[in-house]
Amino acid sequence: MQRLLRLARIISVGIRFGLDEFVLAHARTRFLLVVVQRVLFWRALTEPRAVRLRLALEALGPLFVKFGQVLSTRRDLLPADIADELAKLQDQVPPFSTELACAQLERSFGRPVTEVFEQFEALPVASASIAQVHFAVLPGGRECAVKILRPNMQQAIEKDVALLDSAASLIEVLWVDGRRLKPREVVAEFAKHLNDELDLMREAANASQLRRNFAGSPLLMIPEIYWDYCSSSVMVMQRISGIPISHVDDLRAAGVDIPRLARAGVEIFFTQVFRDGFFHADMHPGNIFVSTDAEIRGKYVAVDFGIMGTLTDVDKNYLAQNFLAFFQRDYKRVAQAHLEAGWVPADTRVDEFENAIRAVCEPVFDRPLKDISFGRVLLRLFQTSRRFNVEIQPQLVMLQKTLLNIEGLGRELDPELDLWTTAKPYLERWMSEQLGWRGFARNLLSEAPRWANMLPQLPRLAHRALAADPSAGIERALDRLAAEQRQRHRSTVMLCLLLAALLAWQIVLVL
């Protein structure tokens, strides 16, 4: 019954915001769209379709807002107007009550909140679609931030994801672009992200790994996780004072070197991607601060580690080669890298692919960030990808989302930032470390324990190989072939006998 009521609510919101335009756009159902529009003549749909879609998701609540945020990252699948509008969805949603928050904490800790914290602020400092954050003080005076999962999220997610999957199935059938947009795959990807974010122990582990990766870094600070107070529904971490990255005037007033901060942001991004292959994939302005604490003043501070991206060594090498070839305007090398990775069909003409990439990338060189829109560049790249049947890699979709976030941060901090000049030396240094003598030495060191384990066994293995009779394997193979031949001979004899019997039977019938 509850599912039916929720479905009725979704349908009513869809009708109010004219989402029937999306569902009934296919040629086979166009007549239904005309009928619906005439029946609902009283609707005044003055806003563009993308705006109406965003408003509908906001009206349906936090989970649908989250779905819109995830959907906005799939610029390889969405029309530009919809992707741009969904990107405007904000993380701020109405908080749940302090009573519910305290009840969640008591279930997690097995004791009253007053026995866990010396002080707990009732008013949340941040509220998002999955959880909200309160400030508190631990025993001994340590200030902390307490992230609490929204109550009953698992049940709500299962119901809404089931409805979204049903809607996606309809869209595949009824919408003109339904199959190309792969709505069911997008819903499955959304469900995976949600399930990852529902486990705050996983998020705490992500934060701990990122903190370890940047231990002692002069650029990035990750809050310490207080593991004794963490569970699947509660995460407690170090509280750090800072200014939101988007408050540029406040940063200037605090004496922060803004151009240096922008360059540091680029280096942090490339360090996460190419050195570690483990990167913060939700770097919007609400999750990035600049520290005002005396010891770490001016450092970036990242929060919210529910969505992290990972890359293999193969991914990293592929990306680095592409970036360097791109910076050197070697578009043929970019095209060849795609072919070598198997991301485009083997029969693709390299010269045509090269020309298409050149047409997208050449206009953005030697221009400051304020004159470049990575959103438009990526959109044109994805259009080119569709034309050449490029297989979009899921891990690179997360990277694309992060790159768009970096673009937004860089544009707010320093529109004059030359991204190419800043990034190229870092990439060249990284490639030298990977492919030069440093990389060779590092690979030797990493393989040394395995070699040390194998070396004492080599004499025994060599003796076994030399002592083995080489003819034994040939004899076994000949015996196997002879057995197979005998089996085929028996089958042939049986078949001949069967045919003879049938022939004799036919002769008897004739006589």
Side-chain angles (χ1 to χ4, degrees):
M1 184 63 182
Q2 289 181 345
R3 183 174 290 189
L4 288 175
L5 290 174
R6 181 60 169 160
L7 180 60
R9 163 72 174 159
I10 292 170
I11 292 173
S12 66
V13 170
I15 290 174
R16 175 154 56 100
F17 289 99
L19 300 190
D20 45 273
E21 177 184 338
F22 294 91
V23 178
L24 303 176
H26 198 282
R28 290 177 296 180
T29 55
R30 190 68 55 82
F31 72 97
L32 287 177
L33 179 60
V34 175
V35 171
V36 169
Q37 289 175 343
R38 288 181 178 175
V39 170
L40 303 175
F41 63 90
W42 44 268
R43 292 186 306 183
L45 302 177
T46 57
E47 299 285 357
R49 63 171 188 169
V51 174
R52 286 187 276 115
L53 176 60
R54 174 178 59 81
L55 294 174
L57 293 175
E58 289 177 346
L60 288 170
L63 285 182
F64 282 80
V65 169
K66 191 71 177 177
F67 179 63
Q69 293 170 355
V70 173
L71 199 61
S72 70
T73 68
R74 298 306 306 265
R75 289 180 176 266
D76 57 318
L77 301 178
L78 292 178
D81 60 329
I82 293 177
D84 289 341
E85 193 63 34
L86 292 184
K88 297 178 182 178
L89 289 170
Q90 298 299 312
D91 283 339
Q92 292 297 327
V93 296
F96 55 91
S97 68
T98 304
E99 291 76 15
L100 286 175
C102 290
Q104 186 86 310
L105 290 174
E106 290 177 7
R107 280 195 298 272
S108 178
F109 296 129
R111 50 188 172 142
V113 175
T114 52
E115 294 182 11
V116 179
F117 302 104
E118 289 185 358
Q119 181 183 342
F120 182 81
E121 295 186 10
L123 189 65
V125 294
S127 177
S129 52
I130 299 296
Q132 67 187 34
V133 178
H134 296 254
F135 286 150
V137 178
L138 290 168
R142 287 182 299 176
E143 293 186 335
C144 66
V146 183
K147 186 170 185 176
I148 308 169
L149 198 68
R150 285 182 176 270
N152 304 316
M153 283 297 293
Q154 188 65 54
Q155 299 90 323
I157 282 174
E158 288 175 358
K159 293 175 184 176
D160 278 352
V161 167
L163 290 173
L164 282 171
D165 188 62
S166 300
S169 299
L170 285 174
I171 289 173
E172 269 190 8
V173 175
L174 300 177
W175 194 17
V176 66
D177 283 333
R179 290 188 181 277
R180 183 179 65 79
L181 299 182
K182 303 177 182 177
R184 295 193 69 185
E185 292 183 17
V186 174
V187 171
E189 181 182 330
F190 170 59
K192 176 182 178 298
H193 288 315
L194 278 179
N195 287 326
D196 288 349
E197 289 189 74
L198 285 178
D199 186 356
L200 296 187
M201 285 294 285
R202 178 193 290 265
E203 180 175 345
N206 290 339
S208 181
Q209 178 65 55
L210 197 60
R211 177 180 171 84
R212 188 160 58 250
N213 290 349
F214 281 85
S217 169
L219 304 176
L220 178 64
M221 167 68 186
I222 306 297
E224 181 183 358
I225 300 298
Y226 299 135
W227 287 106
D228 292 342
Y229 300 90
C230 292
S231 69
S232 60
S233 58
V234 176
M235 183 174 76
V236 180
M237 59 185 175
Q238 175 185 4
R239 176 180 174 179
I240 297 177
S241 301
I243 301 171
I245 194 71
S246 57
H247 296 183
V248 180
D249 291 338
D250 293 341
L251 292 172
R252 286 198 181 96
V256 175
D257 185 341
I258 299 299
R260 177 181 175 278
L261 191 68
R263 292 192 300 272
V266 174
E267 184 170 347
I268 289 170
F269 169 72
F270 282 103
T271 300
Q272 290 183 73
V273 171
F274 292 107
R275 187 193 68 184
D276 305 324
F278 183 76
F279 58 94
H280 194 303
D282 200 17
M283 295 182 67
H284 61 74
N287 288 340
I288 306 295
F289 298 82
V290 178
S291 175
T292 56
D293 290 344
E295 302 83 5
I296 55 173
R297 185 179 183 82
K299 275 190 181 183
Y300 279 90
V301 178
V303 298
D304 195 347
F305 310 96
I307 303 178
M308 302 295 292
T310 57
L311 297 171
T312 66
D313 287 340
V314 173
D315 293 329
K316 290 189 291 184
N317 277 298
Y318 162 80
L319 287 168
Q321 289 182 32
N322 270 274
F323 271 116
L324 278 176
F326 176 67
F327 290 147
Q328 294 164 356
R329 304 191 189 189
D330 186 354
Y331 303 116
K332 184 175 182 179
R333 180 63 197 136
V334 175
Q336 287 173 333
H338 279 72
L339 278 167
E340 291 166 4
W343 291 4
V344 292
D347 59 352
T348 302
R349 285 188 53 175
V350 174
D351 57 335
E352 290 184 358
F353 195 29
E354 175 190 353
N355 290 334
I357 295 171
R358 180 183 293 108
V360 174
C361 300
E362 191 66 20
V364 303
F365 271 103
D366 300 325
R367 302 175 72 179
L369 193 56
K370 67 178 181 180
D371 296 332
I372 302 171
S373 171
F374 277 107
R376 292 194 183 93
V377 172
L378 285 170
L379 177 62
R380 292 192 63 192
L381 280 173
F382 282 131
Q383 289 171 340
T384 302
S385 299
R386 281 198 291 270
R387 175 185 163 195
F388 287 91
N389 297 316
V390 176
E391 183 180 345
I392 302 299
Q393 305 297 304
Q395 71 274 26
L396 299 190
V397 172
M398 298 298 292
L399 187 65
Q400 170 248 324
K401 172 182 182 287
T402 306
L403 189 57
L404 287 175
N405 290 146
I406 294 295
E407 175 201 3
L409 292 176
R411 197 180 301 280
E412 289 187 16
L413 288 174
D414 183 13
E416 300 295 334
L417 176 69
D418 188 335
L419 185 63
W420 322 126
T421 302
T422 306
K424 187 178 177 182
Y426 180 87
L427 279 172
E428 288 176 337
R429 185 170 68 251
W430 184 85
M431 286 294 287
S432 173
E433 291 174 354
Q434 294 298 306
L435 304 178
W437 67 268
R438 292 187 184 88
F440 178 72
R442 185 171 57 253
N443 290 334
L444 282 178
L445 288 174
S446 66
E447 291 290 336
R450 184 163 170 263
W451 291 349
N453 185 51
M454 290 178 61
L455 282 173
Q457 304 177 45
L458 287 179
R460 175 171 52 84
L461 294 173
H463 180 267
R464 180 185 299 174
L466 292 172
D469 185 359
S471 64
I474 298 174
E475 290 177 0
R476 283 194 297 270
L478 289 172
D479 290 341
R480 186 170 61 253
L481 287 172
E484 291 175 358
Q485 183 66 28
R486 287 193 296 270
Q487 178 65 33
R488 281 196 296 269
H489 179 68
R490 284 194 295 267
S491 300
T492 303
V493 171
M494 291 299 295
L495 182 60
C496 290
L497 290 174
L498 180 61
L499 289 173
L502 288 172
L503 181 59
W505 176 251
Q506 290 295 326
I507 292 172
V508 169
L509 289 177
V510 170
L511 294 175

